[in-house]
Amino acid sequence: MAGAELRILPAVAALALAAVAVTAFADGDSPPNENGYEAWLRYRPVEIADPGLAAALRSIHIAGRGPRIAAVRDELSAGLAALLGVPPAIGPDVSESAAGVFVGTRTELGRSLPDSVASELDDLGAEGYVIAATANDRNAVTIFLTARSDVGLVYGTFRLLRELQLRTGIANLPVVESPGLPLRMINHWDNLDRSVERVYGGFSIFDWPNLPERQPRYRDYSRLMASIGINGIVVNNVNTYKGGRLHGWRVVSDEYLDKAAVLAQEFDRYGIEIYFSINFMSPILFGDLDTADPRDPEVLAWWTHRARRIKEKIPNFGGFLVKADSEGELGPHAYDRTHADGANMLARALSTVDGVVIWRAFVYRHPGEDDVSADRAVQAYQQFAPQNGDFADNVILQIKHGPIDFQVNEPVSSLFSAMPDTNLMLELQITQEYTGKDIHLNFLAPFWHRVYAFDTHRDGAGSPLHDVLRPRGGSGTNWGVAGVGNFHDGLNWTGHLLAQSNTYAYGMLAWNPRRSPGVLADEWAALTFGGEPMVSATVSDMLLQSYGIYGKYYFPYGLSLMGWAGGAALDGNGDRSRPDPYRNIGRYHQTDAAGTGYDRTVATGSGYVGQYPLPLQSLYESPDSCPQEMLLWFHYLPYSHELRSGKTLIQSIYDDRYEGVERVKSLRDRWLSLEGMIDEERFYHVLGKLNLQVSESILWRDVMNGFYLDLSGIEDAEGRVKAGDRPYRGLRYGDGPRPH
Ligand code: GCU
C-alpha cells in the first residue's frame, strides 16, 4: 500500500458508497420471526452498491493483539459476514494489500497510516476513533479505522457496522469521534439472588449462583453496551442491605470476587470497567470490626485491604457506588460524620488502586426520622450544597435528575447549580419505574435531551447541565452519567421490545448529549426493524410522541408520587405503575377541596425555589412564568386557576386524561398499520403491549378523574366525569407499607 498517492475521500464522494437493503423475504410474506434478543446489532444483509467499498469490506487487516483486538476481530468477522453474505478475509497484515479495511491503533498501524488520517487523532482522547477512506487511481478503496487505544477501536468497529446497517454506507467521512462525557455508566438494581428492584425485563442477567460459569449472555450484553459507548457497569443494587433482606454487600467479599472476575473479563474485552455497590457498614457486616466510623484508622485500613484484594482479582475494577444515610442504608451519620467524611475515607482506600467513589445524593431524611411534613425536595441540597468543595478528587457525587425521585416532569435538581467544585454524575432512570413499567411506550430521549441542555446558571446564563458535571476549572475525567438499567434476562432483554430504544438513546446521549432525539429514534427504529422507510418512520414517530402522550394521562402537571401498587415487583417492594392518588396526600401533594399541587415557593411554600440561582428562582416562583408541565410541582393552585389555554385547571386535568387515552389508541392504530411489514413474533408482542397500554391508560384516566371529582366536587364541563358515575371512586391499590 502506497500511502502517498492516496486521496482522502470527502463526504460527497462517500455518498456513492451507500449500501442498500436486501429484502430477505418474498413479497406478501411476513419477514422471518425474531425474538428481539439481537436488539440493535442484528446485522441483516445489505447490498453494497459501490464495487470499491464492497471489495474493501471483504479484506480486513487488524493490527495488534489482546482481548479488545480479539473483540474487534470477532465483531467485524461476524458482522460483515452477516451483512455481506460472505465471510471477509481477516488477517493481521497491514503492509501488502492496497484495498481493504485497516484497523489498528496509530502505533500499530505505524507508517501505513496516511499522515492526514493520523493527524485527526491528535486532539482525541483515549476513547476516540477515526474512520477515513482513501482511494487510489484505480478506485481501490481503503478504509482506516484507527484510534489511540484499542478501546477506541472497539467503539469505531461498532460505528462502522452501524453505518453499514443504517445503509448510509459511510456517508460522512472522515468520522472523527470522541465521547462527550468521560463516564458513561449503567447501574443495575439487581440483587445477588437475581431478583431485581423496579425493573421489568426479567431477572438479573448476572447469575451469581452459577458464576463463575460463563454464559453467552454476558458477552452479548457487553457487546450491546459497548456498541452504545457504555464504559462502566455497576453490577449490583444500590440497596445492599434493606433491613437485612438483601445481601448485596457480600459482592466484594472473597466469596464473590471469583464470580465477579468472570463478568469483569467479559466487560474488559469491550473496554467496560466493573463497579460494585457497597454497604458502608461492611467492616461490621463482614464480621471482623465493630465499627465503620470513617475517622477510625482501622476502618480505613480495612477498606484499603479490600480495595487491593478486589484489584488483584479484577484489574478493570473501577470503584464503588454508595447509597448511604438513605432509605435505611446506613452511612457516616451513624457516627455523626458528614457525607464528605464517609466518601473521602473510601476515596483514600480506593486511591491505592486508582478507583473512584460514586456517592449518591439521594437522601431525604436521616434514618429514624419520619417527618412527613418536610418537603423531600429540599433535603438533598440542604445536606450536600454546604459540602461543595469538601470531596476528594476521586469522589463523584451522583445526583438524580430531579430532586424527588425520577418523576415525569420534575425540574432539574437545584444541586447541579450549587456544587461547582465537586465532580458530578447525573443519574437517570432507564428502567421505567415511574414512566410506564414494561407496559407503556415511553421513549425518554426527548426528556433526557432537555435535562442535559437545561441551563443550570451555575456560571451565569449558558451553563447547560452537561457542562457543569465537570467541576469548574477541572480537567479530570471523574464525572459523567449513570442510568439505572432496564436490560435483564428476558428473551428481548427489556420486557417491552420498544423499551430497548431507551437504553440505545441513553448510551448515545451519554456519548454526545447534543444528539437529536429524532435522529436517535430514526436510527433505533431502522436498526431494530430494518430499513423499510414506512416502518422506520412510523416506529420513530410513535417513539417521539410517546413521552407527551404518557404525560397526558399520568400525574398532572408535574405532581409527584400519585401511583403505587404494593407487592408487585420481583423483590416484593412494589412498583409504581398503578394510580393511587389518595395515598400520598399531604406528603407528596397537597390536594384538597380547594385545589391541587405542592407549594414550593419562597413566598408561601417549602422554599425549594430559593435553592436555585436567581434567574431560575424568578422563573419558578410565579405560576405565570413557571413552565406549565411543572406547574403543580411548584405551586398549589385552586381548581379555577386559568391555564394558558384559557381552560381551568380542573377542566384541563379531565380533558388531558381523555386526550391521553385517545392518543394511546392512535399509537396502537399506527402500529396496526405495519401489519405484514414486521415479523409476526415482534408485531404481536408489541401489539399485546399496546393493548395493555390502552386499558391501563383508561384506568389512569378514570381513577385520576374520579379522584379529582371526589375532592373538588366540580364536574367535567363535557359531562364525562360526573357525580354518581365514578367507576373508581376512592379506589386504592394495596394496603401495604408506605413507599418509604
Ligand atoms: C426509588 C426507588 C427505590 C430505590 C431508590 C434509590 O425510591 O423506588 O427502589 O432504591 O429510588 O434510588 O435508591
Side-chain angles (χ1 to χ4, degrees), residues 559-573:
L559 277 179
S560 301
L561 289 153
M562 297 178 101
W564 181 251
L570 290 172
D571 72 340
N573 75 1

Side-chain angles (χ1 to χ4, degrees), residues 189 197-198 237-239 242 323 326-327 360 362 364 376 400 405-406 427 429 433-434 484 564 571 573 576 740:
W189 282 4
E197 185 158 332
R198 318 294 192 198
N237 190 355
V238 286
N239 291 314
K242 259 206 166 160
K323 173 172 178 173
S326 167
E327 296 186 330
R360 293 178 87 227
F362 180 65
Y364 52 93
R376 173 167 160 181
K400 288 188 182 181
D405 190 10
F406 301 131
E427 183 174 320
Q429 198 177 41
E433 176 181 1
Y434 296 97
V484 182
W564 181 251
D571 72 340
N573 75 1
R576 327 291 199 145
H740 299 297

Side-chain angles (χ1 to χ4, degrees), residues 594-641:
T596 184
Y598 197 118
D599 187 351
R600 296 194 162 95
T601 62
V602 175
T604 52
S606 73
Y608 173 79
V609 170
Q611 295 181 348
Y612 287 103
L614 280 175
L616 293 171
Q617 287 187 29
S618 339
L619 180 74
Y620 295 136
E621 181 74 4
S622 158
D624 296 335
S625 52
C626 181
Q628 193 160 286
E629 70 279 8
M630 291 185 281
L631 195 57
L632 300 180
W633 198 95
F634 283 106
H635 298 277
Y636 170 86
L637 295 169
Y639 293 115
S640 57
H641 177 85

Side-chain angles (χ1 to χ4, degrees), residues 311-322:
K311 190 74 175 181
E312 260 165 46
K313 298 255 184 199
I314 302 177
N316 60 325
F317 164 53
F320 294 150
L321 173 63
V322 195

Side-chain angles (χ1 to χ4, degrees), residues 469-510:
L469 298 169
R470 185 208 307 254
R472 196 184 277 157
S475 57
T477 53
N478 290 339
W479 55 278
V481 63
V484 182
N486 69 346
F487 263 57
H488 292 86
D489 84 332
L491 255 192
N492 72 16
W493 305 91
T494 48
H496 193 320
L497 175 74
L498 301 189
Q500 290 180 357
S501 61
N502 280 327
T503 293
Y504 181 81
Y506 167 78
M508 291 298 177
L509 285 173

Side-chain angles (χ1 to χ4, degrees), residues 553 656-665 697-698 701:
Y553 58 87
D656 282 356
R657 261 123 282 277
Y658 276 92
E659 185 192 327
V661 170
E662 290 318 303
R663 290 180 63 190
V664 176
K665 289 181 185 160
S697 64
I698 292 171
R701 178 193 71 194

